[in-house]
C-alpha cells in the first residue's frame, strides 16, 4: 500500500525546502565518502590513477544498481529513505577505519576498497528515486511540474557535491584527519536523513516503523560516537602494526602524513604517506650517492635542491667546499618545520636549516621552475630528491616537461642528478626516467648505490619489497654536454666523477634505447 499524503506538518514550500536541504547535505556526505576512499586507497595501495578509476567506476555502476533496487521501496519511500541513510552513514562513516584496519593487520585493502565502493554506491544510488517520491508527496506543485522538481532536486544534489568536494581537502582532512572526518560525515548524514523523515512524515508512519527508524539511527550514531572516541587508540595500534612499536611522531600536514620512528637510541626512519624516505642506517650513503657525483663533476658554487625537505641532501651539499649557496624547494612546510625542530631529525641533517647559505622556498617544484625559478638565475648543480615516480602526484615531477624546465636553469657545464627509484625492484621505471631525462635534451650516465638495510618497508611498498634483498637506489646524472666518465675506486686515480663507496655505474640493458619517455599527457610510470 502506498503511503498517503502526509498531514501538513509544514507548508508545501517549507517542506519542499527541507527536502532540498537534505538532498544538499546527503550529496555533500556522499562525495566526502567517495573522496575518502580515493585518498586512502592512493595512500595505502599506491598508483592513485588506478585507485581513483576503480573507486569511481565501481561507485557509478553501483549507483545504477541502487536506483533500480529503490523501485521496490517506493511504497515505503519515507521509512525506506530513513533506513538507507542510516545504513549509508554507518558504512560510509566506518569505511576509512575499516580500510586502514585491513591494511594494517592483513597487509592489503584492495578487496575491502571494492566492497565499500560497491556498498556506498548502491546506497547513494537509491537516494534520488526515493527523494523524488518524497518531494512529490510534500509539494503540491510537483504534480504539475515534474521537470521543475527534477531540476531543483539535481541542482541541490550537484551544489551539495561541490561543497563536499571542497570541504574534504581544505577543511575536513587537514583539521580532522581521514578517520575522524569520515566518522563525522556519517553522523551528519544520519541526522539529516532521520530528521527529514521524522519531521515531515513521522505522523504517517506506523508506530513500529517509527521506532525502527529511531532505533536504527540511534544505534548508528552510538557506533559512530564510540568509534570516534576510540579513534586515537586505534590509530596508535594501527601505526604499531604498520611501522612497529617505535613511532615517535605522526602528523598529518596539509600535504601528506609524516611519521618518524626510532626510540631508545635506535636509528631514525622517516615515512611519507607510508613510504620509507629515510632509513637512519643508510641515510648518509643514500644522500652521498645522490649529491656527491653531481657536485664533484665540476663547479658547484650555486646548488638547487628540488624536494629534500628532510634536509639531508642540503647537509651533503653544504658540506662540499666551494658551495656558496643552496636553494631548497619543498612543497610541504610541515616537513620543513619537523626537520628544523625535531632533535633527532635535525641532528641527522646536521642542522642544515641553520646554515645561512641555505634558502628555503615553500612551493611545488614544477610550478616554481616555471615561474620564480626561471628568474632566480642559473645553477651549477641541480639535485632532484623527490618521491619515487608513479607515487600520487609525483609523475609530473618525472616528466619530460619537468626536466626541460630544470635544464633551463643549468649553468654552462652544469649537472642535474635525479633520484630514479630502485633498480632491482622496478627496472623499467628506472630506465624510463633515464629516457625521459635524455628526451629533455640532456646526456645521461646511470648508476646505483646499495644500502645495508633490507628492502622491506612499511606502507604500499611492503607487499612488493623483499625482506631478504638489500635496498638499492638508482640515479641518473645528466648534463649538456655529457658528464665526465665515472672514476671507480676510492683513490680516484683517473680524471672523472668519483662515485661514493657502495655505488656502481650501470650499463643500459638491451632495448633501453627504445624505452619511451614520460610526458604530462603520456605518463609512463606506475607502482
Amino acid at each position: 500500500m502506498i503511503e498517503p499524503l502526509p498531514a501538513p506538518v509544514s507548508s508545501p514550500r517549507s517542506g519542499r525546502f527541507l527536502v532540498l536541504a537534505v538532498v544538499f547535505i546527503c550529496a555533500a556526505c556522499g562525495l566526502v565518502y567517495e573522496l575518502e576512499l580515493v585518498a586512502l586507497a592512493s595512500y595505502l595501495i599506491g598508483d592513485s590513477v588506478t585507485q581513483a578509476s576503480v573507486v569511481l567506476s565501481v561507485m557509478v555502476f553501483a549507483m545504477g544498481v541502487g536506483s533500480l533496487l529503490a523501485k521496490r521501496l517506493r511504497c515505503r519511500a519515507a521509512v525506506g529513505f530513513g533506513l538507507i541513510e542510516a545504513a549509508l552513514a554507518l558504512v560510509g562513516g566506518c569505511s576509512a577505519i575499516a580500510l586502514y584496519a585491513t591494511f594494517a593487520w592483513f597487509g592489503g585493502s584492495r578487496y575491502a576498497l571494492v566492497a565499500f565502493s560497491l556498498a556506498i554506491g548502491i546506497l547513494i544510488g537509491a537516494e534520488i528515486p526515493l527523494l523524488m517520491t518524497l518531494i512529490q508527496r510534500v509539494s503540491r506543485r510537483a504534480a504539475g511540474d515534474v521537470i521543475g522538481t527534477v531540476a531543483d532536486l539535481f541542482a541541490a544534489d550537484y551544489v551539495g557535491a561541490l561543497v563536499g568536494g571542497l570541504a574534504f581537502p581544505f577543511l575536513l582532512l587537514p583539521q580532522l584527519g581521514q578517520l575522524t572526518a569520515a566518522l563525522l560525515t556519517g553522523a551528519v548524514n544520519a541526522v539529516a536523513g532521520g530528521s527529514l523523515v521524522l519531521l515531515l512524515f513521522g505522523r504517517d508512519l506506523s508506530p513500529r516503523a517509527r521506532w525502527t527508524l529511531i532505533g536504527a539511527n540511534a544505534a548508528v550514531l552510538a557506533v559512530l560516537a564510540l568509534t570516534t572516541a576510540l579513534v586515537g587508540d586505534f590509530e596508535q595500534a594501527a601505526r604499531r602494526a604498520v611501522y612497529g612499536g617505535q613511532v615517535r611522531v605522526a602528523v598529518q600536514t596539509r600535504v601528506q602524513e609524516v611519521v618518524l620512528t626510532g626510540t631508545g637510541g635506535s636509528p631514525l626512519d622517516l615515512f611519507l604517506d607510508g613510504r620509507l624516505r629515510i632509513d637512519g642506517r643508510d641515510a648518509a650513503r643514500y644522500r652521498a650517492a645522490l649529491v656527491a657525483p653531481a657536485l664533484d663533476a665540476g663547479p658547484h658554487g650555486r646548488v638547487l635542491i628540488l624536494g629534500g625537505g628532510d634536509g639531508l641532501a642540503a647537509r651533503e651539499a653544504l658540506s662540499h667546499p666551494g658551495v656558496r649557496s643552496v636553494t631548497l624547494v619543498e612543497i610541504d612546510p610541515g616537513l620543513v618545520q619537523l626537520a628544523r625542530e625535531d632533535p633527532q631529525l635535525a641532528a641527522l641533517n646536521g642542522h642544515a636549516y641553520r646554515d645561512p647559505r641555505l634558502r628555503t622556498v615553500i612551493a611545488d617544484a614544477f610550478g616554481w621552475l616555471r615561474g620564480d625559478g626561471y628568474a632566480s638565475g642559473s645553477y651549477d648543480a641541480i639535485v632532484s630528491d623527490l618521491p619515487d615516480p608513479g607515487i600520487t602526484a609525483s609523475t609530473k615531477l618525472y616528466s619530460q616537461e619537468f626536466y626541460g624546465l630544470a635544464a633551463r636553469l643549468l649553468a654552462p657545464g652544469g649537472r642535474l642528478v635525479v633520484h630514479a627509484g630502485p633498480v632491482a625492484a622496478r627496472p623499467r621505471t628506472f630506465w624510463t626516467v633515464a629516457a625521459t631525462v635524455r628526451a629533455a635534451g640532456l646526456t645521461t650516465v646511470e648508476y646505483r648505490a646499495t644500502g645495508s638495510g633490507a628492502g622491506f618497508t612499511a606502507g604500499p611498498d611492503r607487499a612488493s619489497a623483499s625482506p631478504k634483498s638489500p635496498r638499492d637506489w638508482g640515479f641518473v646524472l645528466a648534463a649538456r654536454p655529457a658528464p665526465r666518465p665515472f672514476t671507480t675506486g676510492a683513490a680516484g686515480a683517473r680524471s672523472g666523477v668519483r662515485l661514493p663507496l657502495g655505488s656502481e655505474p650501470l650499463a643500459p640493458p638491451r632495448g633501453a634505447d627504445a624505452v619511451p619517455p614520460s610526458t604530462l599527457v603520456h605518463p609512463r610510470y606506475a607502482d
Side-chain angles (χ1 to χ4, degrees):
M1 179 179 179
I2 298 177
E3 294 171 345
L5 187 70
V9 178
S10 58
S11 66
R13 177 173 294 182
S14 60
R16 184 185 187 87
F17 174 80
L18 183 58
V19 173
L20 293 177
V22 171
V23 172
F24 172 89
I25 295 172
C26 291
C29 293
L31 199 64
V32 169
Y33 300 144
E34 185 175 323
L35 295 175
E36 187 72 47
L37 290 177
V38 171
L40 201 56
S42 300
Y43 162 47
L44 299 179
I45 304 174
D47 190 0
S48 57
V49 174
T50 299
Q51 308 318 319
S53 300
V54 169
V55 171
L56 295 177
S57 58
V58 171
M59 287 191 72
V60 170
F61 164 76
M63 287 169 65
V65 175
S67 297
L68 292 175
L69 295 177
K71 293 192 297 184
R72 299 176 178 270
L73 299 175
R74 289 183 62 191
C75 60
R76 300 289 181 184
V79 69
F81 176 77
L83 292 176
I84 282 175
E85 290 308 301
L88 180 58
L90 181 63
V91 175
C94 295
S95 59
I97 201 167
L99 281 175
Y100 199 74
T102 58
F103 171 77
W105 282 283
F106 298 101
S109 301
R110 298 182 187 276
Y111 297 114
L113 174 67
V114 173
F116 276 103
S117 300
L118 188 65
I120 293 173
I122 289 174
L123 294 171
I124 291 176
E127 288 177 336
I128 293 298
L130 295 180
L131 283 166
M132 185 68 187
T133 302
L134 296 181
I135 200 171
Q136 286 177 326
R137 294 182 184 180
V138 79
S139 173
R140 296 169 185 170
R141 169 190 153 206
D145 188 8
V146 176
I147 294 179
T149 300
V150 172
D152 291 345
L153 198 66
F154 279 99
D157 185 75
Y158 295 150
V159 174
L162 171 66
V163 172
L166 295 177
F168 177 72
F170 296 113
L171 178 64
L172 296 177
L173 187 59
Q175 296 297 324
L176 301 175
Q178 292 175 324
L179 306 186
T180 305
L183 292 166
L184 178 62
T185 302
V188 172
N189 201 162
V191 171
S195 299
L196 172 68
V197 175
L198 293 175
L199 287 176
L200 289 186
F201 305 97
R203 296 181 184 180
D204 300 283
L205 301 178
S206 66
R208 180 178 179 181
R210 187 183 305 113
W211 285 109
T212 298
L213 183 59
I214 293 174
N217 278 275
V220 168
L221 290 174
V223 169
L224 294 175
L226 179 61
T227 306
T228 302
L230 299 176
V231 75
D233 295 333
F234 169 82
E235 288 183 357
Q236 292 182 9
R239 286 196 181 103
R240 285 194 298 269
V242 174
Y243 301 108
Q246 297 186 335
V247 176
R248 290 194 302 107
V249 178
V251 295
Q252 176 69 53
T253 71
R254 64 177 179 85
V255 177
Q256 60 200 338
E257 183 187 56
V258 182
V259 174
L260 289 176
T261 67
T263 58
S266 60
L268 174 145
D269 289 341
L270 168 66
F271 296 88
L272 301 181
D273 276 347
R275 297 177 186 271
L276 185 64
R277 286 292 291 156
I278 293 178
D279 183 336
R281 296 164 295 180
D282 290 328
R285 186 190 300 249
Y286 166 76
R287 261 63 192 191
L290 172 66
V291 177
L295 271 62
D296 289 343
H300 47 263
R302 297 194 74 206
V303 179
L304 172 64
I305 301 175
L306 303 173
D310 50 66
L312 270 72
R315 172 186 179 172
E316 182 68 25
L318 291 167
S319 67
H320 277 64
V323 172
R324 299 189 305 274
S325 68
V326 175
T327 300
L328 187 148
V329 181
E330 168 62 47
I331 193 173
D332 190 355
L335 177 59
V336 171
Q337 181 179 1
L338 197 62
R340 292 178 187 269
E341 300 176 358
D342 181 79
Q344 196 170 347
L345 182 55
L348 193 61
N349 65 39
H351 300 280
Y353 284 100
R354 297 180 183 176
D355 195 307
R357 293 174 295 169
L358 178 63
R359 181 173 74 98
T360 305
V361 178
I362 303 300
D364 171 68
F366 195 103
W368 185 82
L369 288 176
R370 293 185 65 185
D372 294 341
Y374 189 63
S376 66
S378 60
Y379 295 88
D380 299 309
I382 299 178
V383 178
S384 180
D385 187 19
L386 297 163
D388 287 351
I391 299 174
T392 59
S394 296
T395 302
K396 73 174 183 179
L397 304 178
Y398 287 84
S399 65
Q400 180 180 338
E401 292 86 348
F402 179 79
Y403 296 128
L405 292 172
R408 295 191 309 172
L409 301 187
L410 286 176
R415 285 82 54 209
L416 165 69
V417 64
V418 178
H419 160 239
V423 181
R426 295 197 291 271
R428 181 169 182 83
T429 296
F430 173 81
W431 292 107
T432 299
V433 174
T436 304
V437 175
R438 289 194 297 271
L442 301 174
T443 306
T444 65
V445 289
E446 297 78 26
Y447 64 102
R448 74 170 181 172
T450 56
S452 59
F456 175 85
T457 180
D461 295 326
R462 73 176 182 176
S464 59
S466 170
K468 296 181 180 180
S469 61
R471 181 178 297 113
D472 78 328
W473 312 283
F475 305 96
V476 178
L477 179 64
R480 188 192 302 117
R484 292 189 294 170
F486 287 123
T487 296
T488 57
R494 70 177 192 268
S495 62
V497 181
R498 198 180 90 178
L499 286 177
L501 189 65
S503 305
E504 60 176 337
L506 292 174
R510 180 178 299 178
D513 293 339
V515 175
S518 180
T519 67
L520 292 178
V521 294
H522 292 290
R524 306 288 182 178
Y525 306 111
D527 284 6

